[in-house]
Amino acid sequence: MSLDLHKIALQIDNVASRIQQKEFDRLLNLESTLSLFNGASPSELEIKRANSNIGFLVPRILESMSSSYPCQDTPKDYTVLAADGSHIDVDRHLAMQCYLINIGTVLIKYGENPGASLTNDPQLHTNENGLKITDEHSSRHQDIEGPLLGILRTIEEMKAIIKLVEEADKSKPILALVDGTLILWGIIGQAYPGFVRKALLENGIIDTFNQLRDLSRTRKLALAAYVSLPRSTEIVNLLRIDPAVCPYEEANCEANCGSLSFGSRPCDSLTGILDRDIFSNILAEGERSDIFASTIDLHYGEHAVYFYYLNTGSEIARIEIPKWVANDQELLAMTHSLALDQSNLGHGYPVAISEAHEQAVLTMGDREEFRSLVERYLGNKNLPVYTSLKNQSKKLKWL
Amino acid sequence: MSDYINQSNYIGRVIGGSINRGIDIRLDSNTNVEELAVGRFVVIDGITHKFFAQITDITLHASNQSLIDLPPDFSNQIVSSVVSKIGVFSVIEVVPYLTLDGALATSEGVKPAKTVPPHFARTYLASEEDYQTVFGGNDNDHFWLGSPLDLETNIHLNLDRFVERSNGIFGKSGTGKTFLTRLILAGIVQKQKAVNLVFDMQSEYGWAGYNETGSGSVKGLKQLFSSNVALFSMDEEHSKRRNVTPDYLVKVGYNQIEPEDIVMLRDTLNLSDVAADASYTLALHYGQDRWFKTFTSLDGSQLRELAQTIGVNDRALSTLRTRLMRLERFHFLTDQESDHAVDSILQHIDKGIHVVLEFGRYQHEFAAYILVANLITRRIHQRYSRRKEEAMVDESAEPKQLVITIEEAHRFLTPGISSQTIFGTIAREMRKYNVTLLIVDQRPSGIDDEIMSQLGTKLSCLLDNDNDVSAVMSGVSGSNKLRTVISKLDSKQQALIFGHAMPMPIAVKIRNYDEEAYRSLGLIERNGSDYELDRDAKDLFGSH
Amino acid sequence: MENKDNRIGEVVEATTTSFISQCYKLYNSPHLGSLIKTGGPYPTYGIVYNIITQGIDPSRKPVVRGINSSSEEEVYRLNPQLEHLLRTDFYSVSIGYIQGDNIIYHLPPAPPPIYSFVQKCDGLDLINFSSRLEFIKILCSSGIPALDEVISAFIRNLADSQQDKENFLINVGKELIYAFPGDFRKMESILQKVLS
């Protein structure tokens, strides 16, 4: 049955009113948060952080926290590349167990000899080439589906980026852009067995980072991730432990406020404020914030994730970079100016990423086609094509 | 049927029409309409027949009215060309007269058309060969008259058929009737188809006449054919003055004048019916031999007495006498005459010698002309009838075919009168007694319908009076088409010829009557041996 | 005959009466009214009647990009990916095909296969093709939009390569009348467009 919009409309309306109310409260809060931010002492906060056992994520301050840095010269000749993927998960209702990953890649060269290459590469994964992660030391295996599939897809995207870097003109600066975050949030919190973690991290994403690092030794290559409309509150979290908010000398959240209900902890007054709210008042168009180091521990090593906020003119974006990029002035400046340039060219969002997304996207029609293709092929080879009743009922629109 | 496809003569295809209305032919876009003319001949290639037809009308069409309402930009050469080739077209209307059966290639297969060609039959301008097929070639029976308007081929008159009936030559003054008549008379002499008796009112046919511009003279029959032609004269003095010695001087006796002659003179003498008819009573009263002279010598009282006696109105009688007395100034009238003149004429005719009777000073006296022509013709006809009856028993008595040429027929062959006259009789009898008429006239509307309808062949030069044209055309099928042809003739040297002696009506450019003609005409075959009459070129060419 | 340099695109859609070709290079389609030739078992002659450049993905519409640029070329230079996101297609009406050494002036028995190579026709091709004018009838009854413009563009190309241009155009004029019976205005306007 198609969506009955009338029934939803009232619900949406109710929510909208509540949001509106919250917005008023938030704006009042933001003012005081800004003055807090401007008056904070980075060194003090860093010391407190290092000595505390904080229950939420707080980044490491490198030098300052409230400075803003204008964009330096944007190189005219550069290459940007990006990869994005989408997938069709394993469908229990489908006769053949498989999943499809479609990686879209984009390489755009600007300057003297402009050019572009946009491709997409669909890969079908079945029993033969990997519906499971297997443990090499035992017979254990992990089925690949759901969030795990998402992580694998991310790794495939990185691999695609590596290929693009190798094809690009090494005499010009190269920016490799990733959509979203460099941090594999999917692993954090999931109790994946060791062999899975190994496949995903060491042999997975970290391996790709290593390859890129190697490549950057022979060309000016920077890797960055672009997060649009970031919902992170890491900088706000910093203010939570500010002495003006948190009365404790050491912010040991569990010990200090463990028994308090949500909303009654001293730092709860900062709830509802996002990092981007702060920086939209600090950064002028084109400026970036200070670099912060994320304290997520995924054993990234020299690829430890650093980040900064950037005012693109259309929004405050969060740029994540590996440590080796953050420590290289030139590469750092590259990520700043080129991410900005990309955003301008893309009417508010980096054009390379949005094109990669377009290359990767699988529409409902694509998904249906894929399903019928599988069924047809199975039919051709005289294999029984059975599908659950649920699937049948979805396909046949009957009255 | 395409045993002959002459591409360069091709003009178009049949697109419609009927027997009555004529056939419509759409001209091919490559045909120049300006080169076609009313009166010209075309040949239509049907499936089993060839059709010989004459153009009677030409119309312009546009395939689309919008072309006329909003003409294209003519400064654009290319658009103009396309439009003239496709958007507009011409249609000629033709009347099919003859068909040629494909199986019979020669003139034997030529018959009057009784059907029409099918749609899209190809049509060509007639070629020389076509004309030959239809009109025959130069032989003993055919006389070369001229050429068609569009080709230099020869058109021949079938003289045999010509002399079988009475015929008419018509045309406004100055259009060349006289020349045409001269030509035909010469032809009759040359081909020996008949013997001519010409009542030559203006002395044009006998010795010499004048050319078209009147500046030089042309040869007469006597000059061309010398001893084959006899000149009779009503006026000796006149002939002598022209250095011509007539072969006979004609005198007419008063005793030879019959009441019928007076009736014929009714209009000329301006007599009432009563007055004219009175002559019959007078003849009865006084006797044929004496009535004229006696009557005209009466004085007033004798006249009145006579009136009472015979019961005729005295005023009418008086008028009659006065008018009759006018005739007495004709010097050729004598008190008593025998039929010697007629005898002489007949003698000549029997020998095959043609007779031209000149009227000298009497050329303007219609009364003289009418009287003499009527008188003589009546007598000849009498003799001829008798001879013809004798010939039924004795073939040698058969009189020679005689053609009597009369001019100004509208003066004495007027409606009503002609039925009572000898000419009317001759016309009606056709060839019964071996006598036919050749009428030459410029007011055919004045001639009795009945006589006109008896004419076998008509040759019409330009006529511009509708009534005259109607008179010539009366009784002819498809006449309204031919009317257009007549009205489009040149004012000189062109004639429309149709009737018994022509397979189909045709507009002809009459051949020149000049040295060349003299040369060819002067050649007579007699009994198989060539007998050249123009021994000396100087003699023949005369003054110019 | 087949010259790789003359190749300009490939057939991406084909019906009995017409076909759509995609250009290899953006904006590099043959001009309106050009004569083109496909490959396939019945190499088909077509006349270009419509040229469309649009996004490859029909759901993505081009947006303005050049407000700060000084020229149109700059827009493309600053956005190299555009060339890969746009495609130029040209639509051609079929008007004849090749069988052996002959040009047949009917619709081909079957349309050209998808991915048939499409070539521009050169001057010699034009002269050979225009030796008979039957194509005019097919073109005129094809129902393509802006028919008059396409016809006149095509005829203009042909006329320029004729020896006797005037005679050729007169014959074309006649064929136009046969194709549009009675419509002299149309013939006139087409010929005027050709000559202008």
Side-chain angles (χ1 to χ4, degrees), chain A residues 151-396:
Chain A
I151 297 171
L152 274 177
R153 195 193 83 200
T154 306
I155 296 171
E156 290 299 316
E157 289 165 18
M158 293 307 299
K159 289 185 184 167
I161 287 185
I162 292 169
K163 274 224 198 76
L164 286 177
V165 171
E166 286 165 349
E167 284 164 17
D169 175 12
K170 52 158 88 166
S171 68
K172 302 282 191 293
I174 303 171
L175 174 66
L177 268 183
V178 172
D179 179 31
T181 172
L182 290 179
I183 300 168
L184 278 187
W185 297 99
I187 290 191
I188 299 168
Q190 291 285 345
Y192 287 122
F195 75 90
V196 173
R197 287 180 73 93
K198 189 167 177 197
L200 297 179
L201 287 169
E202 285 152 33
N203 299 336
I205 199 124
I206 297 177
D207 183 46
T208 64
F209 289 156
N210 284 335
Q211 289 184 56
L212 285 171
R213 176 76 170 102
D214 287 339
L215 285 170
S216 82
R217 293 185 215 279
T218 50
R219 63 208 87 202
K220 244 166 82 173
L221 166 67
L223 170 67
Y226 185 102
V227 186
S228 176
L229 281 182
R231 298 197 57 76
S232 30
T233 54
E234 286 178 64
I235 306 303
V236 173
N237 289 348
L238 261 178
L239 295 178
R240 280 178 183 258
I241 62 171
D242 189 285
V245 177
C246 175
Y248 302 98
E249 215 183 289
E250 285 176 9
N252 298 321
C253 302
E254 181 60 38
N256 298 341
C257 306
S259 54
L260 292 175
S261 60
F262 183 77
S264 45
R265 299 176 297 178
C267 57
D268 280 339
S269 60
L270 291 167
T271 308
I273 314 264
L274 300 174
D275 287 354
R276 70 177 197 241
D277 295 330
I278 296 178
F279 286 102
S280 61
N281 288 291
I282 304 293
L283 302 173
E285 185 177 329
E287 289 181 340
R288 69 161 173 83
S289 68
D290 282 302
I291 314 285
F292 300 90
S294 174
T295 51
I296 280 277
D297 187 14
L298 282 171
H299 303 298
Y300 275 11
E302 62 165 342
H303 308 294
V305 175
Y306 287 39
F307 65 93
Y308 61 86
Y309 289 94
L310 174 64
N311 186 340
T312 67
S314 328
E315 63 161 347
I316 302 293
R318 172 182 161 116
I319 310 293
E320 292 182 1
I321 45 181
K323 185 159 90 171
W324 52 268
V325 168
N327 288 340
D328 184 325
Q329 282 307 309
E330 245 192 301
L331 292 184
L332 175 61
M334 243 175 77
T335 63
H336 180 183
S337 60
L338 296 187
L340 204 56
D341 193 42
Q342 280 293 294
S343 184
N344 287 336
L345 286 169
H347 296 269
Y349 192 74
V351 63
I353 298 180
S354 61
E355 292 302 336
H357 177 73
E358 290 292 335
Q359 289 293 319
V361 74
L362 291 167
T363 64
M364 275 310 290
D366 294 331
R367 290 166 194 274
E368 265 309 311
E369 287 244 14
F370 171 69
R371 253 184 278 278
S372 7
L373 195 67
V374 168
E375 280 171 5
R376 212 174 338 139
Y377 270 94
L378 288 179
N380 278 349
K381 296 197 186 323
N382 290 321
L383 292 166
V385 179
Y386 59 92
T387 172
S388 76
L389 285 172
K390 181 173 175 190
N391 211 23
Q392 288 270 40
S393 77
K394 274 201 212 159
K395 281 206 290 196
L396 304 167

Side-chain angles (χ1 to χ4, degrees), chain B residues 444-462:
Chain B
S445 55
I447 299 179
D448 189 337
D449 264 351
E450 220 206 304
I451 297 217
M452 290 298 287
S453 65
Q454 295 292 347
L455 298 179
T457 305
K458 295 176 194 158
L459 298 86
S460 177
C461 301
L462 179 64

Side-chain angles (χ1 to χ4, degrees), chain B residues 171-177 442 462:
Chain B
K172 240 168 52 149
S173 320
T175 54
K177 293 193 303 301
Q442 74 269 29
L462 179 64

Side-chain angles (χ1 to χ4, degrees), chain B residues 28-40:
Chain B
D28 183 76
S29 56
N30 290 326
T31 306
N32 183 358
V33 66
E34 288 179 41
E35 285 175 5
L36 297 178
V38 161
R40 290 182 69 165

Side-chain angles (χ1 to χ4, degrees), chain A residues 11-292:
Chain A
Q11 298 175 45
I12 292 176
D13 192 45
N14 288 338
V15 171
S17 307
R18 289 205 293 274
I19 290 174
Q20 198 177 42
Q21 183 56 48
K22 269 203 176 149
E23 184 64 14
F24 286 143
D25 301 336
R26 197 182 68 82
L27 282 174
L28 281 174
N29 225 356
L30 186 56
E31 278 238 31
S32 45
T33 308
L34 280 170
S35 28
L36 184 61
F37 180 80
N38 286 323
S41 159
S43 45
E44 271 189 43
L45 284 176
E46 177 52 27
I47 292 170
K48 184 168 179 183
R49 182 203 69 79
N51 294 332
S52 303
N53 190 8
I54 308 173
F56 39 82
L57 199 58
V58 175
R60 186 156 56 85
I61 302 172
L62 297 182
E63 282 180 19
S64 49
M65 60 189 269
S66 54
S67 308
S68 52
Y69 304 86
C71 177
Q72 271 144 50
D73 290 330
T74 312
K76 289 267 178 308
D77 286 63
Y78 73 90
T79 304
V80 62
L81 29 98
D84 192 13
S86 58
H87 62 269
I88 298 179
D89 207 339
V90 176
D91 187 350
R92 292 248 161 263
H93 307 294
L94 204 57
M96 179 172 93
Q97 298 294 286
C98 60
Y99 62 87
L100 180 83
I101 294 184
N102 189 31
I103 304 290
T105 65
V106 165
L107 182 152
I108 307 180
K109 187 154 183 280
Y110 297 89
E112 284 279 316
N113 300 310
S117 149
L118 299 85
T119 67
N120 60 71
D121 178 27
Q123 288 160 17
L124 185 67
H125 298 258
T126 63
N127 260 326
E128 295 96 65
N129 56 4
L131 282 178
K132 314 173 193 302
I133 299 178
T134 49
D135 187 354
E136 56 193 9
H137 299 302
S138 71
S139 60
R140 292 177 67 192
H141 66 268
Q142 178 82 29
D143 285 335
I144 298 179
E145 58 184 346
L148 193 52
L149 179 53
I151 297 171
L152 274 177
R153 195 193 83 200
T154 306
I155 296 171
E156 290 299 316
E157 289 165 18
M158 293 307 299
K159 289 185 184 167
I161 287 185
I162 292 169
K163 274 224 198 76
L164 286 177
V165 171
E166 286 165 349
E167 284 164 17
D169 175 12
K170 52 158 88 166
S171 68
K172 302 282 191 293
I174 303 171
L175 174 66
L177 268 183
V178 172
D179 179 31
T181 172
L182 290 179
I183 300 168
L184 278 187
W185 297 99
I187 290 191
I188 299 168
Q190 291 285 345
Y192 287 122
F195 75 90
V196 173
R197 287 180 73 93
K198 189 167 177 197
L200 297 179
L201 287 169
E202 285 152 33
N203 299 336
I205 199 124
I206 297 177
D207 183 46
T208 64
F209 289 156
N210 284 335
Q211 289 184 56
L212 285 171
R213 176 76 170 102
D214 287 339
L215 285 170
S216 82
R217 293 185 215 279
T218 50
R219 63 208 87 202
K220 244 166 82 173
L221 166 67
L223 170 67
Y226 185 102
V227 186
S228 176
L229 281 182
R231 298 197 57 76
S232 30
T233 54
E234 286 178 64
I235 306 303
V236 173
N237 289 348
L238 261 178
L239 295 178
R240 280 178 183 258
I241 62 171
D242 189 285
V245 177
C246 175
Y248 302 98
E249 215 183 289
E250 285 176 9
N252 298 321
C253 302
E254 181 60 38
N256 298 341
C257 306
S259 54
L260 292 175
S261 60
F262 183 77
S264 45
R265 299 176 297 178
C267 57
D268 280 339
S269 60
L270 291 167
T271 308
I273 314 264
L274 300 174
D275 287 354
R276 70 177 197 241
D277 295 330
I278 296 178
F279 286 102
S280 61
N281 288 291
I282 304 293
L283 302 173
E285 185 177 329
E287 289 181 340
R288 69 161 173 83
S289 68
D290 282 302
I291 314 285
F292 300 90

Side-chain angles (χ1 to χ4, degrees), chain B residues 190 224-225 517-524 531-534:
Chain B
Q190 189 194 42
L224 284 178
F225 301 105
Y518 305 157
R519 244 196 301 257
S520 70
L521 285 170
L523 206 63
I524 293 188
Y531 189 111
E532 259 203 63
L533 292 184
D534 57 335

Side-chain angles (χ1 to χ4, degrees), chain C residues 44-110:
Chain C
T44 301
Y45 280 105
I47 298 180
V48 176
Y49 71 90
N50 198 5
I51 301 169
I52 301 184
T53 298
Q54 57 190 342
I56 285 181
D57 182 345
S59 66
R60 298 181 65 190
K61 295 224 172 295
V63 293
V64 297
R65 288 180 182 273
I67 192 162
N68 292 321
S69 299
S70 55
S71 71
E72 285 118 6
E73 289 78 29
E74 198 178 90
V75 174
Y76 283 91
R77 210 162 30 82
L78 290 181
N79 295 283
Q81 78 281 8
L82 288 180
E83 284 196 11
H84 298 262
L85 296 174
L86 299 170
R87 61 186 280 172
T88 298
D89 297 333
F90 54 96
Y91 292 54
S92 313
V93 54
S94 306
I95 50 166
Y97 66 101
I98 299 175
Q99 196 171 66
D101 287 332
N102 303 320
I103 302 178
I104 313 287
Y105 296 89
H106 304 314
L107 292 179

